[in-house]
Amino acid sequence: MQSSLEVAIIGAGYVGLSTAVALALAGHRVRVVEQQTQKLEVLQQGQVPFFEPDLEAAILLCADNLCFTAQMQKAVPTADIIILAVSTPPSPAHGADLRQVFAALHQLAVFLPDRQQVLVVKSTVPVGTHLEIQTLMQQLAPDANLAIASNPEFLRQGRALRDAVFPDRIVIGASETWAFARLQQLYAPIMAGIVQVPENLEIHRPKHAIPILEVSAASAELAKYAANAFLAMKISFMNEIANVCDSTGADIGDIKSTLQLDTRIGADFLNAGLGYGGSCFPKDTKALSQLALRSGYEFRLLKAVIEVNNEQKYRALNKLEHVLHGLRDKQIAILGLSFKPDTADTRESIGVDLIEELLARGAMVKAHDPMLAQLQLPEFSQGVTLCSDLANCLESCDAAILVTEWRCYQEANWALLGQRMSQRIMFDGRNTLSLKAMQEADFVYIGIGRN
Ligand code: UGA
């Protein structure tokens, strides 16, 4: 029988809420502190304030173990473990902005009791932040008995709960043995794979125990950046290979099939496309590059990864411009505005970047996304029409660019939809449509390295 712990989680974003639900499902008593009133009200009604599959169903399963409050004093004093999961957005100089982290620490410091507690940093923070936190907490709460631990998360939006309950590994950087032991207790049900989950997640339950790694706090902090940078590197590498495919007549699908059967390379994150977006890879690659530079090392490979990613979407647009003999006064459909499918997040959205570039090149844009109503979009200048209906979006367009591989685009009847367009030209920026179907629908099809 596992003994349950009292857990306080600060911040109910993707990371905080998914972690809270996973730990409540694991049998711990979790109190989440969320200070945005609107968000809090939604959470207190058992709903999720953003789109993320499975979370709402899971909250129903663990409602007895989970509660939400705006007040630190209702969660912090009784907690065995306090998990910091506030956001660390990009800072103007491309590092991570730690203001929310330090604000939360100032607020919670006054409620720390004098018994042993572990303060876990789950937010992605630059290497060395644990030392700054340690110094600050000694000043703010000299009588507290606090151990600081770094415990990065590796969950993906769109499958955040699944990644939180069935992670590939758990990484803990704790300076004190008792703190590591307590975190081992926290994660024991997850490591043993015995957490109750919504039915549709059952098929993903791993057949093996989940490993837990005990590392230094600095290593834990750096491991998070290294993991994201490595995945970003895989994507930029495949994008470069795809560009070589375009100039040589080889096919990126064949290359991917060959690479993914090599267990040394691994099967995932080999999809060439318009580049990576979202709130993590762009921010974390820049932050790591900067961090390395500050420590006296120029991380040249990572610089190239970032450069390739920045250029990839414009390289694609150049290709389309060539096919259309110019973009001026052409009507282009952008399909997909969230940074990837199964999320309504538009941070570092390639679709948004492409709209701005198309406008700059004199085109008119119609844009579609299946979650349009839930998206936070910038104010576009004149020349952009947002459509919640795909057929309306394609009406009179000279070409479409598929930016986000939502399932609705794969399942669409392109023979019918093509009739709405002025010219049947499809730029598949995620290599996701069937070549055969597009050929049968009479489209000029352009992919990324797909020949
Ligand atoms: C990423 C990491 O995958 C998580 O492990 C990490 O915890 C998270 O960042 C974070 O730091 O919080 P996320 O940004 O949610 O997760 O999304 P991913 O699924 O990794 O996709 C990121 C971008 O890469 C998307 O724009 C996606 O379209 C692109 N991508 C992904 C490709 O272009 N090709 C691929 O093969 C895979």
Side-chain angles (χ1 to χ4, degrees), residues 56 172 255 270 293 305-306 332 342 368 385 440 450:
E56 220 157 271
I172 293 175
I255 311 292
L270 295 177
L293 210 54
V305 167
I306 296 167
I332 310 294
D342 297 325
H368 172 266
T385 311
E440 283 167 8
R450 216 173 174 196

Side-chain angles (χ1 to χ4, degrees), residues 364-428:
M364 291 162 296
V365 182
K366 290 169 93 180
H368 172 266
D369 191 283
M371 302 219 61
L372 192 63
Q374 295 187 46
L375 302 184
Q376 278 192 356
L377 291 167
E379 283 286 323
F380 294 114
S381 51
Q382 269 194 338
V384 182
T385 311
L386 299 174
C387 309
S388 50
D389 180 79
L390 181 56
N392 284 345
C393 176
L394 293 164
E395 190 74 50
S396 308
C397 283
D398 295 290
I401 308 178
L402 192 157
V403 184
T404 312
E405 64 276 36
W406 283 102
R407 186 175 278 277
C408 63
Y409 302 136
Q410 287 150 45
E411 291 171 348
N413 182 339
W414 287 105
L416 263 182
L417 289 169
Q419 291 171 12
R420 303 279 197 125
M421 300 175 70
S422 296
Q423 303 187 65
R424 295 184 189 204
I425 299 176
M426 171 62 75
F427 193 118
D428 181 357

Side-chain angles (χ1 to χ4, degrees), residues 153-157 224 228 231 235 269-271 275-277 280-281 284 339-340 430:
E153 55 76 27
F154 301 98
L155 51 88
R156 281 160 278 187
Q157 284 178 227
K224 163 69 193 207
N228 274 0
L231 293 169
I235 298 168
F269 279 68
L270 295 177
N271 293 322
Y276 56 78
C280 305
F281 286 176
D284 292 349
F339 85 90
K340 66 172 193 176
R430 297 289 169 190

Side-chain angles (χ1 to χ4, degrees), residues 16-74:
L17 188 57
S18 308
T19 305
V21 174
L23 293 174
L25 287 169
H28 301 296
R29 283 180 304 279
V30 183
R31 292 184 178 87
V32 182
V33 181
E34 173 52 60
Q35 293 176 332
Q36 281 181 36
T37 315
Q38 253 183 337
K39 227 171 159 184
L40 181 66
E41 280 170 10
V42 174
L43 288 163
Q44 284 173 332
Q45 287 160 18
Q47 289 162 1
V48 176
F50 45 83
F51 176 75
E52 181 59 41
D54 304 316
L55 272 184
E56 220 157 271
I59 287 176
L60 271 180
L61 286 179
C62 61
D64 290 349
N65 287 344
L66 189 60
C67 68
F68 300 94
T69 172
Q71 293 168 303
M72 291 282 186
Q73 63 267 42
K74 292 210 171 141

